[in-house]
């Protein structure tokens, strides 16, 4: 069948061509992958910049100051060790344990590879790698830890290339600084320097022969085979390493006998820790985000950050002390802390620039390095009320002297479902001014105010202030039931000391490489989010929270001049305080990661920590100047009307121009009658349940009632005179 034969021949030719194309593409892809890795190898290892430190400078003050000198990709505080600075038996011990022909092969060891290949074939899988020190460096720095033939095919040419370009001592330098030797406190122990300090309490240049051999013997299983867990196995491996060193003439017989006679144990020590761990962790993450991990690996950077070292140390101290202090005072906190640690986070931002001056993500970095200032989302509670009250003031539909009703109410959220807001103290006060409702953090008047001005205004205000959430338009919104991040909340308060300008918090100001080339330069992100007049009026309310309200405990620490807002969630799960001065907006959060209730108000849990921190650092005590568009009037605090002789008060209050009350308070005998009828808190009666439509109607009735009072007082004045 000649037709079929021709079709078969054509199919065979197409098949061969397709296979050839696939093989060509595969080879090209493999070659490109190798070239990319080779370029990385050249940048990261051949230029020796990995030895150069990363210099961390602080720009918090006028003249940049050095904060830390850090080495390696993991930012160690100790400089890399050099083979030239070590006694010969230290590198020789690792060569004896891992790659006895290291000084003679070309980056790969054919003898070791043949032995490993034979073993793998018998096992039917890769069980023995036969990797040289060169290959281990390539694998650790550029590849994965999985044992596959594909990885080996990439590893081999790169190891040969590195061996041809670097001297043996240079390769040993890289290996001895990077070799993995276990874990401590959740962090990897990398390099002979960290291992000798942690396990033996000494620097590697002081290691004895037996100690060097012992460290080298645990490379294969550093978390399993330790003198504490398997002393017999460690001793056998150590003695085997010592025998190889003796057989190759790296130690003599006397040194060998003396070394094997010593017991194997860990004396115990510690690794020098980098300062400011929470800040540095966040800074390094931001560094990788802005310039990529490649530059961090290469090293030799100069990083200018916004940290204030004094503020950072003070924040770390305040956070670490707060948890045990609360545990010692409250038995339920102590009982819960036995299940999971009580956490305290602190974030300080300069509202003028956005620079993050202090960042502490938790109570103890060694126990939990999780950064709660950025990665945690929790309900802000009453600290969110600020934006509901600001929306009311900016809308000019309410003022600081507006009267709100504080009395039990049921709100229908949908058919046959009702919501009953309550104040934290389960008490109700009748009529209160907007200022008192805010300063005392009253929930019921806040909900009513929000319904009066409309939830849309509150949502628009919050979103304009930088919150990323899609806020649900629910009656409980102003009480802070939507989860936000600590950084968002802190940034949202920066417009109050600056009178309306929000600034985005940032860690990094500038990054330059070892040649002085600028890799990153920060551009401030500022936005006017509210008028200076509305921001100033809101600032006076926030000052009142400290002077007379829920944060008045700050006066015990001499901090009565600051402004801020407490935040306690409805179930007492989280405690917040966001407070500020002219040059520092600081947020403190206290709580448990898994949401166990604190059963403490923010005044009890968060404010003492905030005060301890702010009392320890210098800060400005200046007040924002009253801007145009704001007027001040003396009012009667009971009625919210203009004050005159014979009325309670006076209370000095601020208003947006055109919103101040125009009628004076009632006084004298008739004034007391009017006050008793319309303003006596004990005589207020309200329906137990109302719908949204009734709520809005009620709001209109409150306005009409006030206008009725003002009209009645005008008529009384006309009849009886002033």
């Amino acid at each position: 069948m000649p037709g079929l034969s021709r079709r078969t021949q054509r199919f065979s030719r197409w098949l061969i061509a397709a296979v050839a194309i696939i093989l060509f593409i595969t080879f090209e892809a493999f070659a490109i992958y190798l070239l990319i890795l080779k370029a990385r190898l050249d940048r990261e290892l051949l230029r020796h910049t990995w030895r150069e430190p990363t210099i961390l400078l602080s720009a918090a003050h006028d003249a940049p100051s050095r904060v830390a000198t850090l080495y390696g990709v993991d930012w160690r505080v100790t400089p890399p060790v050099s083979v030239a600075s070590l006694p010969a038996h230290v590198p020789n011990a690792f060569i004896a344990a891992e790659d006895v022909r290291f000084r003679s092969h070309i980056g790969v060891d054919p003898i070791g590879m043949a032995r490993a290949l034979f073993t793998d074939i018998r096992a039917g899988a890769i069980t023995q790698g036969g990797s040289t020190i060169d290959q281990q460096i390539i694998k650790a720095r550029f590849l994965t830890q999985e044992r596959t033939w594909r990885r080996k095919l990439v590893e081999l040419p790169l190891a040969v290339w590195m061996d041809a370009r670097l001297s043996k001592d240079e390769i040993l330098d890289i290996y001895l600084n990077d070799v993995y030797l276990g874990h401590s406190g959740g962090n990897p122990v990398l390099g002979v320097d960290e291992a000798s300090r942690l396990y033996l309490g000494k620097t590697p240049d002081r290691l004895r022969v037996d100690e060097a051999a012992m460290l080298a013997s645990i490379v294969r299983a550093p978390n399993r085979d330790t003198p504490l867990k398997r002393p017999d196995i460690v001793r056998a491996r150590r003695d085997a390493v010592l025998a190889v060193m003796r057989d190759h003439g790296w130690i003599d017989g006397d040194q060998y006998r003396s070394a094997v006679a010593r017991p194997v144990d860990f004396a115990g020590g510690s690794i020098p820790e980098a300062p400011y761990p929470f800040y540095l962790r966040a800074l390094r993450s931001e560094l990788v985000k802005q310039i990529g991990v490649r530059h961090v690996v290469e090293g030799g950077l100069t990083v200018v950050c916004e940290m204030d070292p004094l503020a950072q140390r003070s924040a770390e101290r305040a956070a670490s002390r707060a948890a045990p202090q609360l545990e010692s005072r409250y038995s339920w906190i102590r009982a819960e802390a036995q299940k999971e640690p009580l956490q305290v986070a602190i974030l300080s931002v300069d509202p003028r620039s956005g620079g993050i001056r202090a960042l502490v993500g938790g109570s103890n970095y060694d126990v939990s390095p999780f950064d709660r200032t950025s990665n945690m989302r929790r309900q802000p509670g009453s600290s969110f009320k600020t934006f509901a009250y600001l929306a009311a003031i900016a809308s000019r539909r309410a003022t600081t002297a507006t009267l709100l009703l504080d009395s039990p109410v049921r709100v229908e959220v949908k058919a046959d479902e009702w919501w009953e807001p309550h104040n934290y103290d389960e008490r109700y006060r009748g009529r209160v001014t907007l200022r008192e409702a805010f300063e005392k953090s009253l929930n019921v008047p806040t909900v009513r105010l929000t319904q009066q001005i409309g939830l849309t205004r509150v949502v628009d205000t919050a979103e304009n202030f930088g919150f990323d959430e899609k806020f649900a338009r629910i009656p409980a919104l102003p009480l802070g039931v939507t989860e936000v991040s600590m950084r968002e909340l802190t940034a949202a308060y920066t417009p109050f000391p600056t009178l309306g300008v929000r600034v985005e918090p940032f860690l990094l100001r500038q990054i330059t490489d070892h040649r002085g080339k600028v890799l990153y330069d920060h551009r401030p992100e500022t936005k006017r989010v509210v008028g200076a007049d509305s921001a100033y009026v809101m600032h006076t309310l926030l000052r009142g929270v400290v002077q007379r309200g829920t944060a008045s405990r700050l006066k015990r620490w001499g901090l009565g001049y600051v402004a801020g807002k407490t935040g306690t969630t409805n179930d007492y799960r989280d405690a917040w305080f966001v407070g500020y001065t002219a040059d520092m907006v600081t947020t403190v959060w206290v709580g448990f990661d898994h949401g166990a209730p604190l059963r403490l108000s923010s005044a009890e849990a968060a404010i003492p920590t905030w005060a301890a921190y702010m009392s320890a650092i210098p800060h400005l005590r200046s007040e924002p100047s009253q801007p145009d568009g704001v007027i001040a009037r003396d009012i009667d605090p009971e009625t919210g009307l203009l004050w005159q002789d014979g009325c309670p008060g006076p209370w000095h209050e601020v208003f947006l121009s055109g919103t101040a009350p125009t009628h004076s308070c009632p006084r004298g005998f008739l004034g007391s009658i009017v006050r008793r009828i319309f303003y006596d808190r004990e005589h207020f009666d309200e329906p137990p349940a109302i719908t949204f439509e009734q709520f809005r109607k009620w709001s209109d009735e409150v306005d009409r009632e006030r206008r009725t009072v003002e009209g009645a007082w005008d008529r009384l004045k006309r009849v009886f005179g002033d």
Side-chain angles (χ1 to χ4, degrees), residues 289-309:
K289 177 182 175 182
Q290 296 297 342
I291 64 173
V293 70
R294 173 172 68 86
H295 291 290
V296 181
V297 173
E298 289 179 23
L301 302 174
T302 298
V303 178
V304 182
C305 71
E306 291 296 309
M307 184 209 310
D308 181 337

Side-chain angles (χ1 to χ4, degrees), residues 271-525:
I271 302 172
E273 295 182 354
Y276 323 122
F278 278 111
Y279 201 106
L280 290 191
R281 183 184 179 94
L283 190 69
R284 190 178 179 280
S285 297
E286 186 68 17
L287 204 72
V288 171
K289 177 182 175 182
Q290 296 297 342
I291 64 173
V293 70
R294 173 172 68 86
H295 291 290
V296 181
V297 173
E298 289 179 23
L301 302 174
T302 298
V303 178
V304 182
C305 71
E306 291 296 309
M307 184 209 310
D308 181 337
L310 174 59
Q312 180 65 25
R313 287 193 297 270
S314 300
E316 291 174 358
R317 184 166 55 249
S320 64
R321 291 177 177 176
Q325 288 173 351
L326 289 172
E327 290 169 19
S328 67
R329 294 177 61 186
Y330 302 102
S331 59
W332 62 89
I333 297 288
R334 185 164 57 252
E336 194 63 41
Q338 293 176 355
K339 305 174 188 175
E340 62 166 320
L342 178 63
Q343 297 295 343
V344 180
I346 301 175
L347 183 65
S348 275
V349 174
D350 188 332
R352 301 165 300 180
S353 66
I356 296 177
R357 300 297 186 231
L359 184 157
V360 179
S363 301
N364 188 323
Y365 182 85
D366 292 333
V367 173
S368 172
F370 180 67
D371 180 10
R372 293 161 186 83
T373 68
S374 296
N375 302 321
M376 174 191 74
R377 307 192 77 80
R378 300 296 275 262
Q379 293 182 1
S382 297
S383 60
F384 190 79
K385 290 177 181 175
T386 298
F387 307 100
Y389 281 78
L390 176 63
I393 290 168
S395 72
R396 307 178 78 86
R397 298 185 62 181
T399 72
T400 51
T402 294
L403 291 179
L404 303 173
L405 292 175
D406 181 23
S407 187
V409 64
R410 296 177 69 206
V411 180
E412 187 180 30
V413 293
K414 59 183 179 181
D416 299 324
E417 185 173 326
W418 301 83
W419 176 56
E420 298 182 24
H422 298 280
N423 296 321
Y424 291 117
D425 58 5
E426 296 295 333
R427 294 173 52 213
Y428 299 92
R429 296 158 179 80
R431 286 185 179 84
V432 294
T433 62
L434 180 146
R435 175 174 289 279
E436 184 179 359
F438 184 75
E439 291 177 357
K440 300 297 183 182
S441 200
L442 304 180
N443 288 341
V444 175
T446 301
V447 172
R448 288 175 166 164
L449 174 67
T450 304
Q451 294 299 312
Q452 180 179 339
I453 65 170
L455 284 167
T456 299
R457 291 183 188 272
V458 180
V459 171
D460 290 345
T461 299
E463 290 178 349
N464 193 39
F465 270 64
F467 291 102
D468 292 333
E469 288 67 27
K470 296 298 181 183
F471 293 104
R473 288 165 168 76
I474 57 176
L477 172 67
L479 306 187
V481 297
T482 301
E483 293 184 343
V484 301
S485 74
M486 193 173 184
R487 185 178 287 202
E488 282 178 330
L489 185 62
T490 307
Y493 270 76
T494 59
F496 300 116
T498 60
L499 295 186
V501 178
R502 180 191 181 277
V503 63
E504 184 65 29
F506 69 100
L507 296 158
L508 285 168
R509 177 170 293 192
Q510 190 180 74
I511 308 169
T512 56
D513 65 11
H514 63 282
R515 296 183 297 270
K517 179 184 177 182
V518 176
L519 303 177
Y520 172 78
D521 210 355
H522 176 74
R523 295 181 180 179
E525 299 178 41

Side-chain angles (χ1 to χ4, degrees), residues 181-198:
L181 288 165
H183 256 71
S184 174
N187 298 311
V189 180
L190 299 176
V192 66
D193 180 78
E194 288 189 354
S196 61
R197 290 174 186 269
L198 178 66

Side-chain angles (χ1 to χ4, degrees), residues 34-271:
L34 274 181
L35 288 174
I36 292 172
L37 290 180
K38 174 186 168 297
R40 281 188 57 193
L41 188 153
D42 290 346
R43 287 193 308 267
E44 296 176 17
L45 299 182
L46 301 189
R47 297 176 185 174
H48 303 290
T49 55
W50 64 274
R51 280 189 166 280
E52 298 181 17
T54 291
I55 306 298
L56 187 61
L57 303 176
S58 167
H61 304 291
D62 294 337
S65 58
R66 181 173 294 207
V67 173
T69 302
L70 307 166
Y71 298 89
V73 66
D74 53 341
W75 283 10
R76 295 173 247 179
V77 295
T78 55
V81 298
S82 170
V83 170
S85 67
L86 300 174
H89 59 257
V90 174
N92 285 338
F94 284 86
I95 292 173
E98 291 296 297
D99 187 4
V100 72
R101 284 175 289 277
F102 168 74
R103 295 195 181 276
S104 59
H105 63 57
I106 61 171
V108 296
D109 182 5
I111 298 175
M113 289 177 61
R115 183 183 66 250
L117 179 62
F118 179 73
T119 303
D120 294 342
I121 291 173
R122 285 201 308 174
I126 296 181
T127 60
Q128 195 175 106
S131 295
T132 63
I133 284 177
D134 305 70
Q135 289 173 262
Q136 291 182 46
I137 293 172
I138 296 298
K139 178 177 65 176
R141 281 185 168 258
F142 305 110
L143 304 173
T144 65
Q145 298 299 311
E146 61 178 342
R147 291 185 171 185
T148 63
W149 293 108
R150 182 176 57 187
R151 194 207 73 197
K152 282 289 183 184
L153 289 175
V154 176
E155 185 183 287
L156 294 176
L158 290 176
V160 173
W161 172 258
M162 183 178 70
D163 200 86
R165 299 296 304 275
L166 293 173
S167 70
K168 292 294 185 179
D169 280 354
E170 288 174 329
I171 294 171
L172 274 179
D173 282 349
I174 297 170
Y175 178 76
L176 291 176
N177 281 286
D178 283 356
V179 60
Y180 174 69
L181 288 165
H183 256 71
S184 174
N187 298 311
V189 180
L190 299 176
V192 66
D193 180 78
E194 288 189 354
S196 61
R197 290 174 186 269
L198 178 66
Y199 300 141
L200 300 168
K202 59 177 67 175
T203 55
D205 59 324
R206 297 172 52 218
L207 289 175
R208 299 191 308 263
V209 172
D210 65 293
E211 292 171 332
M214 183 181 69
L215 290 181
S217 72
I218 68 173
V219 170
R220 293 185 184 180
N223 292 310
R224 184 190 66 193
D225 298 343
T226 70
L228 296 177
K229 297 178 181 178
R230 307 176 77 180
D232 293 340
I233 290 178
V234 173
R235 180 161 196 155
R237 285 185 179 173
R238 182 204 68 177
D239 292 351
V241 170
L242 290 169
V244 172
M245 296 174 70
R246 179 200 58 195
D247 293 345
H248 283 75
W250 298 336
I251 57 174
D252 58 30
D254 291 340
Q255 288 176 304
Y256 170 76
R257 286 186 290 274
S258 174
V260 296
R262 291 183 178 274
V264 293
D265 58 8
F266 284 169
S270 62
I271 302 172

Side-chain angles (χ1 to χ4, degrees), residues 628-643:
D628 295 337
V630 175
I631 59 173
R633 295 288 185 270
D634 288 337
I635 66 164
D636 168 11
E638 289 188 1
T639 65
L641 300 175
L642 293 175
W643 180 84

